[in-house]
Amino acid sequence: MKILIIGAAGMVGRKLTSALIASGSLAGKDIERIELVDAFEPEAVTADGIEIARKVVDIADPSVAPDLISRRPDVIFHLAAIVSGEAELDFDKGYAINLDGTRYLYDAIRAEGQKADYCPRFVFTSSIAVFGAPFPDKIGDEFFQTPRTSYGTQKAIGELLLSDYSRRGILDGVGIRLPTICIRPGKPNKAASGFFSNILREPLIGQEAVLPVDETARHWHASPRAAVGFLLHAAEMDTASLGTRRNLNMPGLSATVGEQIEALRRVAGDKAVALIRKEPDAMITEMVEGWAKDFDASRAMSLGFKAESSFDEIIRIHIDDELGGELPK
Amino acid sequence: MKILIIGAAGMVGRKLTSALIASGSLAGKDIERIELVDAFEPEAVTADGIEIARKVVDIADPSVAPDLISRRPDVIFHLAAIVSGEAELDFDKGYAINLDGTRYLYDAIRAEGQKADYCPRFVFTSSIAVFGAPFPDKIGDEFFQTPRTSYGTQKAIGELLLSDYSRRGILDGVGIRLPTICIRPGKPNKAASGFFSNILREPLIGQEAVLPVDETARHWHASPRAAVGFLLHAAEMDTASLGTRRNLNMPGLSATVGEQIEALRRVAGDKAVALIRKEPDAMITEMVEGWAKDFDASRAMSLGFKAESSFDEIIRIHIDDELGGELPK
């Protein structure tokens, strides 16, 4: 079993790599090799009995995909993307990486398959940004894709190509639309969605965090651990059950900011909640209003994808995975 | 008012050209120039006071779009495509023309707009092939796009790009998903959907036609005249009402083959109906089973798009437009 992870240096890529090394196998087969590639140097990792290769690549360069695919990985995780904000600011870069880069990968697989039988499992991380407001209260599995960002457009196109190339037997694709990942480990960042994590992560370690929206704001979440679970399940599942509909809304937890805060209170007490400073920001409030709030992810759940069912659980996962299992004294 | 028609040599392109010449104006402005381009030589036409240019082009050639757009047409009708069957058989050609060719046009408009203000109306003919079975009985305006052909995939991608480029102010796009055009004038062709026209067109002129499916088979139709009406309305409408959702299911008529035949009987008598020879074809029957049968096209209708409401009307339009207003004696 040879695995290629594109976008391996990101938070989810690193956690996925660790999970694969810890397991040593995928889909019941021993892992022989993992190739980690990204536009930034992937972290050095070691693993007994698994060859690890690391490479800095630009997937918008048409010569890169044929090289990566020439080693015929059995499973490809494609996590690399120019994020929403940057794809909006830099039109050319967003289309070059998110659309052309993805298509080069698909076409390199097709070319490799024309040399000798080859049809790898291709796990494509898409996004709920393929949807655009106005939404129903709960977005169902058959709601249409009307992205309101270039990023969402590029992801929706990646999904369509994934389905068509799968239907034609070129690759065996599963597209997964991830919820917002919460609690993101690390430092606060400038992403407009960052506060959903900040207001939990920082108070848990005794630091202040800013809440720019009202407590009634509702959003769609899953933990980093759930995200890695989605990726592994997408790599291992029987795709016969997908038919030609290869792209799935992942399950998640719909919660208001107020519900997040009450979960924080139950897990870490009033002292932690007191560290949340309300600083309403009209621009962020308006952006969050336009984001998807809730999904009926029945199809993915019936196919075995699992997410958290309470914010208490999401917070405890963060404490387990990032804080060594207990809150700092 | 300068107009560019890409795919001008096809049946709809020719009828659109005639309608534009007959009117002499579009969106309240006099037409000065019409440029007709296609992979095949567009028919020579003449028009008082309108300059007509004709050109054979390959839109998959990246140098073509910048040249066409350099003349800064105010309205662009993009009708050109490799059809479903051919795009399925020739993967590279389908993607080259239907996806890359369309994207070259959008990008040429963007490049032209970077030289000096330019944001043309772009009418993109899409298709109900962006949908794939299983369907609800009536496909609504918010049903998701899961094409089951490469052609449908390429059209769905053209739609997504049209929306994103419109949202960014690069062009002013309207995507229209045409029903099956019935009655197609001309000779019977080998398209699997051809019989829907054949079983009316041939008996109307005293010739035999083959019906390969059961009379209960249901499908979604509009006349060539309605299709030209959709194109003109898409070119003239106020796109402010579209918001970011630029792609529309066109209205049409949902009818069974049995209903088509009864309309033929009312218009042309039992003698015409007797010319339909039933030769069930399992492969065509199965293909037709997988096609969309009915739509709720409320949104397009509320925006002023109009189609026929009976097959009697569709047959009479054919008699008016193709047979000089009366049935051959």
Side-chain angles (χ1 to χ4, degrees):
Chain A
M1 166 67 70
K2 289 183 288 183
I3 297 170
L4 170 63
I5 304 177
I6 304 158
M11 185 267 290
V12 173
R14 281 178 282 132
K15 287 187 180 286
L16 172 66
T17 305
S18 302
L20 289 168
I21 291 173
S23 150
S25 71
L26 185 66
K29 288 179 192 151
D30 287 347
I31 301 171
E32 298 147 43
R33 185 174 200 277
I34 305 179
E35 181 159 355
L36 305 171
V37 306
D38 202 302
F40 305 93
E41 177 88 31
E43 235 174 37
V45 288
T46 52
D48 274 355
I50 301 177
E51 180 194 345
I52 307 281
R54 293 181 299 141
K55 205 166 180 180
V56 174
V57 300
D58 172 10
I59 60 166
D61 173 344
S63 70
V64 165
D67 173 60
L68 295 175
I69 300 305
S70 68
R71 293 181 280 286
R72 303 175 78 90
D74 302 287
V75 175
I76 299 159
F77 293 98
H78 180 24
L79 315 173
I82 297 297
V83 297
S84 187
E86 190 176 0
E88 207 56 24
L89 290 173
D90 191 336
F91 183 96
D92 292 306
K93 189 173 178 183
Y95 273 95
I97 299 211
N98 296 348
L99 198 171
D100 295 324
T102 300
R103 196 169 165 209
Y104 292 148
L105 289 166
Y106 297 158
D107 281 335
I109 293 168
R110 179 168 173 250
E112 193 64 30
Q114 285 168 341
K115 293 181 205 156
D117 274 1
Y118 179 56
C119 184
R121 176 65 52 95
F122 195 104
V123 180
F124 176 61
T125 51
S126 186
S127 161
I128 56 176
V130 299
F131 301 106
F135 303 119
D137 286 342
K138 250 182 196 298
I139 297 178
D141 284 322
E142 302 193 342
F143 190 64
F144 70 159
Q145 283 74 64
T146 58
R148 296 184 73 150
T149 58
S150 292
Y151 171 80
T153 301
Q154 293 144 11
K155 287 293 187 187
I157 294 173
E159 289 186 1
L160 284 162
L161 294 171
L162 185 82
S163 284
D164 196 43
Y165 281 55
S166 294
R167 188 183 59 80
R168 283 182 173 264
I170 294 166
L171 46 79
D172 183 16
V174 183
I176 60 177
R177 299 183 190 124
L178 297 178
T180 291
I181 303 301
C182 189
I183 301 170
R184 278 190 82 85
K187 295 278 164 209
N189 68 21
K190 292 200 185 277
S193 62
F195 72 87
F196 289 118
S197 287
N198 301 350
I199 60 166
L200 304 175
R201 187 187 57 236
E202 303 305 301
L204 284 172
I205 54 169
Q207 294 182 8
E208 218 178 49
V210 170
L211 174 62
V213 304
D214 199 86
E215 289 196 19
T216 58
R218 178 176 285 283
H219 195 56
W220 182 243
H221 304 273
S223 73
R225 194 193 282 179
V228 170
F230 299 155
L231 289 163
L232 295 174
H233 187 61
E236 296 186 316
M237 71 183 292
D238 178 2
T239 51
S241 52
L242 288 175
T244 54
R245 295 180 172 181
R246 296 274 173 163
N247 300 289
L248 298 163
N249 296 332
M250 288 294 101
L253 176 65
S254 175
T256 63
V257 167
E259 288 162 5
Q260 289 187 264
I261 293 173
E262 287 318 302
L264 177 66
R265 194 185 308 277
R266 284 189 294 275
V267 175
D270 291 337
K271 217 178 66 182
V273 172
L275 291 165
I276 301 173
R277 190 157 42 85
K278 295 188 182 178
E279 272 185 26
D281 180 312
M283 199 186 78
I284 293 182
T285 298
E286 202 194 315
M287 285 177 71
V288 172
E289 261 312 297
W291 295 344
K293 292 172 172 50
D294 198 1
F295 287 80
D296 174 359
S298 302
R299 186 157 180 249
M301 287 191 286
S302 77
L303 290 163
F305 290 92
K306 288 187 189 70
E308 290 80 19
S309 55
S310 80
F311 242 103
D312 301 54
E313 198 183 342
I314 289 182
I315 295 172
R316 286 205 193 91
I317 286 171
H318 180 77
I319 296 171
D320 280 354
D321 290 355
E322 308 295 335
L323 303 176
E326 55 185 304
L327 292 177
K329 301 296 173 221
Chain B
M1 166 68 69
K2 289 183 288 182
I3 297 170
L4 170 63
I5 304 178
I6 304 157
M11 185 266 290
V12 174
R14 280 178 282 132
K15 287 186 179 287
L16 173 65
T17 304
S18 302
L20 289 168
I21 291 173
S23 149
S25 71
L26 184 67
K29 288 179 193 152
D30 287 347
I31 301 171
E32 298 147 42
R33 184 174 201 276
I34 306 179
E35 181 161 353
L36 306 172
V37 305
D38 202 301
F40 305 92
E41 177 88 32
E43 236 173 35
V45 288
T46 51
D48 274 355
I50 302 178
E51 180 196 345
I52 307 281
R54 292 182 299 142
K55 206 167 180 179
V56 174
V57 300
D58 173 10
I59 60 167
D61 172 345
S63 70
V64 166
D67 172 61
L68 295 175
I69 300 304
S70 69
R71 293 181 280 286
R72 303 175 79 91
D74 301 289
V75 175
I76 299 159
F77 293 98
H78 179 25
L79 315 174
I82 296 298
V83 297
S84 186
E86 190 177 358
E88 206 58 21
L89 290 173
D90 192 336
F91 183 97
D92 291 307
K93 190 172 179 185
Y95 273 96
I97 298 210
N98 296 347
L99 198 171
D100 295 324
T102 300
R103 196 170 164 206
Y104 292 148
L105 288 166
Y106 297 158
D107 281 334
I109 293 168
R110 179 168 173 248
E112 193 64 31
Q114 285 167 341
K115 293 181 206 156
D117 274 0
Y118 180 55
C119 184
R121 175 66 52 95
F122 195 103
V123 180
F124 176 62
T125 52
S126 186
S127 162
I128 57 175
V130 299
F131 301 106
F135 302 120
D137 286 342
K138 251 182 196 296
I139 297 177
D141 284 322
E142 301 192 344
F143 190 64
F144 69 159
Q145 283 74 62
T146 58
R148 296 184 73 150
T149 57
S150 292
Y151 172 79
T153 301
Q154 293 144 10
K155 287 294 188 186
I157 294 172
E159 290 186 0
L160 283 162
L161 294 171
L162 185 82
S163 284
D164 196 43
Y165 281 55
S166 293
R167 188 183 57 81
R168 283 180 173 266
I170 294 166
L171 46 78
D172 183 16
V174 184
I176 60 176
R177 297 183 191 126
L178 297 179
T180 290
I181 302 301
C182 189
I183 300 171
R184 278 190 83 85
K187 295 279 165 208
N189 68 22
K190 291 198 186 277
S193 62
F195 73 87
F196 289 118
S197 286
N198 300 351
I199 60 167
L200 304 175
R201 187 187 56 237
E202 304 306 301
L204 284 172
I205 53 169
Q207 295 182 7
E208 216 178 49
V210 169
L211 173 62
V213 305
D214 199 85
E215 289 196 19
T216 58
R218 179 176 285 283
H219 195 57
W220 182 243
H221 304 273
S223 73
R225 194 194 281 178
V228 170
F230 300 155
L231 289 163
L232 294 174
H233 187 60
E236 296 186 315
M237 70 184 292
D238 178 2
T239 50
S241 51
L242 288 176
T244 54
R245 295 180 172 180
R246 295 274 172 162
N247 299 289
L248 297 164
N249 295 332
M250 288 294 101
L253 176 64
S254 174
T256 63
V257 167
E259 287 162 6
Q260 289 187 263
I261 293 173
E262 287 318 302
L264 177 66
R265 194 186 309 278
R266 284 189 294 273
V267 175
D270 292 337
K271 216 178 66 180
V273 172
L275 290 165
I276 300 174
R277 189 157 44 83
K278 295 188 182 178
E279 272 185 27
D281 180 315
M283 199 186 79
I284 294 182
T285 299
E286 202 195 314
M287 286 178 71
V288 171
E289 261 312 296
W291 294 345
K293 293 171 172 52
D294 198 1
F295 286 80
D296 173 0
S298 303
R299 186 156 181 248
M301 287 192 287
S302 77
L303 290 163
F305 290 92
K306 287 187 190 69
E308 291 81 18
S309 55
S310 79
F311 242 102
D312 302 54
E313 198 182 342
I314 288 181
I315 295 172
R316 288 205 192 90
I317 286 171
H318 180 77
I319 295 171
D320 280 355
D321 290 356
E322 308 295 334
L323 303 175
E326 54 185 305
L327 292 176
K329 300 295 173 223

